[in-house]
Amino acid sequence: MSGRDGHGSGAGLPGDPPGGRRAVLVWGVGVAVYFVAVIFRTSLGVAGLDAADRFGVNASALSTFSILQLLVYAGMQIPVGLMVDRLGTKKVLTIGVLLFTLGQLGFALSPSYPMALASRALLGCGDAMTFISVLRLGTRWFPARRGPLVAQLAGLVGMAGNLVSTIVLARLLHGVGWTAAFAGSAAAGVVVLVLLLLFLKDHPEGHEPERSPELSASLEQGAPPSHAGAAFVRRQIAESWREPGTRLGMWVHFTTQFPAMVFLLLWGLPFLVEAQGLTRETAGELLTLVVASNMLVGLVYGQIIARHHAARAPLALGTIAVTATLWATTLVYPGDHAPMWLLVTLCTVLGACGPASMIGFDFARPANPPERQGTASGIVNMGGFVASMTTLFAVGVLLDATGDDYRIAFSSVFVLEALGVVQILRLKARTARRERERLVASRVEAVHVPA
């Protein structure tokens, strides 16, 4: 494999997974679970106005649904990463499917705001277990050189789930009503649970992951399993965080993901309807455009990064710059409403945010050994959801404080983008230096390995 891949020697590494049809099948089952999780996660985005009417809540209380869901999701990322590293993908995904399906069903049947909140928290807990598991599944079944493309494809399928919630669930909601739409969608969780139990395997035969040397040594020395496990957890987190690539990945994810997430998850539809004067149908079409753009850009970004690893930082920073420019242009445009061409351009550019956030994992992946991939991915994935949660809350509070002035409320986007860019620029050179050092070390080691 070409060295420009940036992941070492790829297929030449002993023990590198073979890929193939079996890998696609097993990985496809994991991705199907993630697909359903995203449908459930984003279902509130098309039901925000309906939820406000159903539970009689204002903008701040409405944003609490998504904030709580993302708070649970973000808080679970490191624990889930540790669980994946210790328990394996199949067990963690099974727990996740059970939780997010119960959460979606509970949301359908909730008679009150507090019960609906609890259901969204349960959903967020299950949802938190899906994406990191799917990333781990990809690294266990496909060669390392396929890592960026496999990760982008997983994100693309997730956005297809967003598309389903935007188009299908929105129509069901206004056709059959709240309870039938949400309860009916919960059946998808049962379907993927059956597929998961029947077909998913953690790794190919002959590619079993090695247990952490530190954990094995602690157990062999007679340490109680609980003490050995606690030491393992502390070491996993500390060593993952010590790598600048992990921290850079987290800040890339933090800065790129949240503008589109906030738009799709809750505030996009109200902004387009109430602030821009569009019909719900037209607003739904623009939300669909964000998703479609995401899917197309994801394929392009994945191919570029797989071939030119040095393009990671320019793609991430370029996406941030263009997103900020389009948001600023939309918010300061003179008159009561921005023109349609500008809203279309904004939604098209927002579609690049998801694929750009996936670049964060491409910084963390080469910085950590296989036995730490779940933990490192959890740290990275936490970034974007913390930013999304913060912005969802800020927009809701500012809307209530300013009498629904969306221009002021959405200006909070720029604060988090500025913070993230500063951190990315601070860590970029350090990460590049560490990657060069690892590349030189791997070449020296390869030279000294006897034939």
Side-chain angles (χ1 to χ4, degrees), residues 16-391:
D16 207 23
R21 293 180 183 177
R22 181 77 187 283
V24 173
L25 173 63
V26 174
W27 178 77
V29 173
V31 170
V33 173
Y34 177 55
F35 172 78
V36 174
V38 173
I39 294 175
F40 292 0
R41 178 201 304 170
T42 58
S43 57
L44 186 61
V46 297
L49 297 177
D50 300 86
D53 293 337
R54 180 179 177 86
F55 301 112
V57 295
N58 61 13
S60 296
L62 181 61
S63 66
T64 303
F65 276 122
S66 297
I67 291 168
L68 178 62
Q69 181 180 333
L70 293 184
L71 177 63
V72 172
Y73 187 106
M76 286 289 293
Q77 289 309 291
I78 293 177
V80 167
L82 292 163
M83 288 172 64
V84 171
D85 287 337
R86 289 290 301 275
L87 302 179
T89 301
K90 186 168 185 174
K91 291 180 181 177
V92 176
L93 275 180
T94 301
I95 297 170
V97 172
L98 291 171
L99 291 178
F100 70 58
T101 302
L102 289 173
Q104 185 78 341
L105 183 61
F107 194 58
L109 303 176
S110 294
S112 64
Y113 178 68
M115 187 174 292
L117 275 179
S119 297
R120 294 306 284 187
L122 188 64
L123 192 158
C125 187
D127 181 20
M129 299 183 179
T130 58
F131 187 63
I132 293 175
S133 298
V134 172
L135 286 180
R136 174 62 172 260
L137 203 63
T139 62
R140 289 300 185 193
W141 280 91
F142 292 97
R145 69 182 185 277
R146 301 295 184 194
L149 183 58
V150 168
Q152 289 287 355
L153 287 174
L156 185 150
V157 174
M159 290 309 296
N162 202 329
L163 194 63
V164 169
S165 66
T166 303
I167 298 175
V168 179
L169 190 59
R171 292 181 180 176
L172 282 175
L173 187 64
H174 298 111
V176 301
W178 179 282
T179 301
F182 280 99
S185 67
V190 178
V191 173
V192 294
L193 177 61
V194 173
L195 293 174
L196 165 63
L197 295 175
L198 289 177
F199 299 112
L200 194 135
K201 288 190 64 176
D202 285 348
H203 48 74
E205 290 80 2
H207 292 269
E208 292 79 4
E210 295 182 5
R211 188 163 66 176
S212 166
E214 294 85 357
L215 179 61
S216 300
S218 297
L219 292 172
E220 289 170 0
Q221 291 169 8
S226 60
H227 291 176
F232 168 80
V233 168
R234 290 193 297 270
R235 189 174 296 109
Q236 286 283 96
I237 296 173
E239 291 181 356
S240 296
W241 183 256
R242 192 175 297 123
E243 287 291 344
T246 304
R247 282 175 280 142
L248 176 60
M250 186 196 72
W251 283 109
V252 166
H253 200 269
F254 177 100
T255 315
T256 53
Q257 188 202 48
F258 80 93
M261 176 70 73
V262 168
F263 198 80
L264 289 170
L265 199 59
L266 184 61
W267 292 122
L269 188 69
F271 168 74
L272 294 171
V273 173
E274 297 177 354
Q276 299 302 321
L278 303 180
T279 64
R280 290 175 68 115
E281 291 73 18
T282 303
E285 290 172 358
L286 286 176
L287 294 180
T288 303
L289 175 61
V290 177
V291 178
S293 172
N294 184 298
M295 297 171 71
L296 178 61
V297 174
L299 287 174
V300 175
Y301 278 19
Q303 292 285 358
I304 291 174
I305 296 170
R307 289 168 169 76
H308 308 283
H309 215 50
R312 292 170 300 168
L315 279 178
L317 290 170
T319 302
I320 295 166
V322 175
T323 303
T325 301
L326 264 296
W327 257 124
T329 304
T330 302
L331 295 178
V332 303
Y333 197 88
D336 294 333
H337 306 311
M340 180 57 70
W341 66 264
L342 182 54
L343 294 177
V344 168
T345 306
L346 171 66
C347 290
T348 302
V349 169
L350 284 175
C353 291
S357 72
M358 300 297 296
I359 296 172
F361 298 102
D362 292 317
F363 283 110
R365 189 183 299 111
N368 293 274
E371 64 270 16
R372 248 188 4 241
Q373 288 294 321
T375 305
S377 296
I379 293 172
V380 172
N381 208 30
M382 185 174 63
F385 288 92
V386 168
S388 298
M389 178 180 60
T390 303
T391 308

Side-chain angles (χ1 to χ4, degrees), residues 415-432:
V415 178
L416 273 72
E417 285 191 322
L419 171 62
V421 167
V422 169
Q423 296 298 326
I424 290 170
L425 294 176
R426 185 176 68 85
L427 290 164
K428 186 163 69 75
R430 199 180 313 173
T431 299

